[in-house]
Amino acid sequence: MLKIATWNVNSIRSRLEHVSDFLSSQIPDILLLQETKCTDDQFPHDQFSSMPYNVSLHGQKSYNGVAIFSKYPIDEVKTNFDGNPIPDQARFLEITCNTPVGYSRIISVYVPNGGEVGSDKFAIKLDFLDGLKAYLDSIQSKDENLIIGGDFNVAPFDIDLYDPEVLKNTTCCTEVEKEKMLALLGDNFADLYRIANPDLQEFSWWDYRSAGFARNHGLRIDFLLANENAARKLKECYIDKSYRSLKKPSDHVPVVAVFGV
DNA sequence: ATGGTCGCTTGGCGA
């Protein structure tokens, strides 16, 4: 069995209690974090030192930052991918480790939000998605499990948006972003939540502003993706919405997948 | 078209 989760925590230092609670009550074998928003020196290791995790970090000051918690010893570590148009921003972390469902290459990624549609930042987001697709295709393997989790900042299908009409042509919902995301999935990667729940409409993010969560104005922009070797072992995949109801929540909630042999 | 709320930091920026 392998239980893996991804969560954009919007600052690890502001989410210490929620992340600690998640680790001790949900007991994932591997946890992928995004938007840790601190340097590796600032990372609150003490909070987690009593828990059975190896931690790999790729942080930076104030913004971005990704991390991976793993119960299994971490072998290789990569903090960037070839073709990343913004390699100075900490948005990518890849590890390998041996798991009960086979040797696995696991990635935590934070895709740029993109700002205003048509802006320079938006163009960089599209380039990032292109570069990430090319990289992921280049590391495909029939032997390894390949699992990518993170905040992709794209809602690829109408069912992933609270209101496709209202959100038409807004950031995360434009046709060109959807094309990039679908191209990234291609034939190589499965969207695990959608495989497990073909018709469910659930979201992974709700805006802090305008009472987004209370009105269920959300998007599904956080994903766990897997190659065929891993996807065929999928037992379940779900979104744990409960973490959005806590005091001082992240604006994102965990997405969880369980694999078996 | 703007602002709504957070988290970084302490004046705005990013989301």
Side-chain angles (χ1 to χ4, degrees):
Chain A
M1 208 270 279
L2 173 69
K3 185 177 194 176
I4 182 165
T6 184
W7 193 4
N8 179 326
V9 290
N10 186 21
S11 168
I12 185 65
R13 290 175 294 178
S14 288
R15 229 60 65 197
L16 278 180
E17 288 187 21
H18 295 355
V19 174
S20 298
D21 172 88
F22 182 77
L23 289 170
S24 56
S25 69
Q26 306 305 307
I27 318 180
D29 299 300
I30 294 172
L31 174 61
L32 313 176
L33 298 177
Q34 299 87 38
E35 281 206 270
T36 52
K37 289 189 170 178
C38 64
T39 62
D40 295 354
D41 286 347
Q42 294 171 316
F43 195 87
H45 288 284
D46 289 353
Q47 186 76 17
F48 307 107
S49 56
S50 66
M51 295 182 180
Y53 291 99
N54 306 288
V55 179
S56 186
L57 300 175
H58 184 199
Q60 73 177 80
K61 181 179 158 65
S62 305
Y63 302 113
N64 310 314
V66 285
I68 299 179
F69 284 56
S70 169
K71 287 198 171 175
Y72 312 110
I74 294 169
D75 294 335
E76 300 170 37
V77 177
K78 282 189 68 174
T79 56
N80 239 313
F81 62 90
D82 298 332
N84 182 357
I86 40 173
D88 293 342
Q89 298 183 17
R91 297 178 175 275
F92 179 92
L93 182 60
E94 170 184 323
I95 65 156
T96 60
C97 60
N98 200 17
T99 82
V101 297
Y103 201 78
S104 302
R105 187 171 298 274
I106 293 165
I107 292 170
S108 177
V109 65
Y110 175 44
V111 174
N113 170 282
E116 294 286 319
V117 175
S119 66
D120 290 349
K121 279 186 186 171
F122 190 80
I124 288 168
K125 175 184 191 174
L126 300 181
D127 289 345
F128 188 97
L129 287 166
D130 282 341
L132 184 62
K133 173 195 163 44
Y135 175 71
L136 294 177
D137 287 348
S138 78
I139 59 169
Q140 269 294 346
S141 165
K142 290 193 169 64
D143 303 321
E144 293 178 344
N145 299 313
L146 181 52
I147 301 168
I148 304 99
D151 175 0
F152 285 75
N153 268 313
V154 181
F157 300 103
D158 280 355
I159 192 175
D160 301 318
L161 317 155
Y162 76 87
D163 189 332
E165 281 308 308
V166 166
L167 295 167
K168 202 175 179 66
N169 299 325
T170 63
T171 301
C172 303
C173 308
T174 66
E175 292 304 315
V176 65
E177 288 164 279
K178 292 181 195 175
E179 284 168 21
K180 300 291 184 195
M181 186 69 194
L182 294 183
L184 188 150
L185 292 171
D187 295 328
N188 285 340
F189 296 102
D191 170 1
L192 298 179
Y193 174 85
R194 193 50 75 204
I195 295 276
N197 312 280
D199 305 312
L200 260 186
Q201 183 178 53
E202 291 186 304
F203 307 127
S204 65
W205 169 87
W206 298 260
D207 205 321
Y208 285 128
R209 299 167 292 187
S210 311
F213 186 61
R215 298 196 288 168
N216 200 29
H217 283 190
L219 302 174
R220 190 174 72 95
I221 53 177
D222 299 272
F223 298 89
L224 284 165
L225 313 180
N227 68 351
E228 165 63 21
N229 196 36
R232 67 167 193 263
K233 300 169 200 156
L234 183 68
K235 298 301 177 195
E236 57 176 330
C237 184
Y238 55 90
I239 294 173
D240 193 344
K241 191 174 150 181
S242 67
Y243 284 84
R244 193 63 172 79
S245 302
L246 301 178
K247 253 176 95 173
K248 273 195 55 168
S250 171
D251 43 355
H252 300 250
V253 294
V255 182
V256 183
V258 179
F259 301 87
V261 285

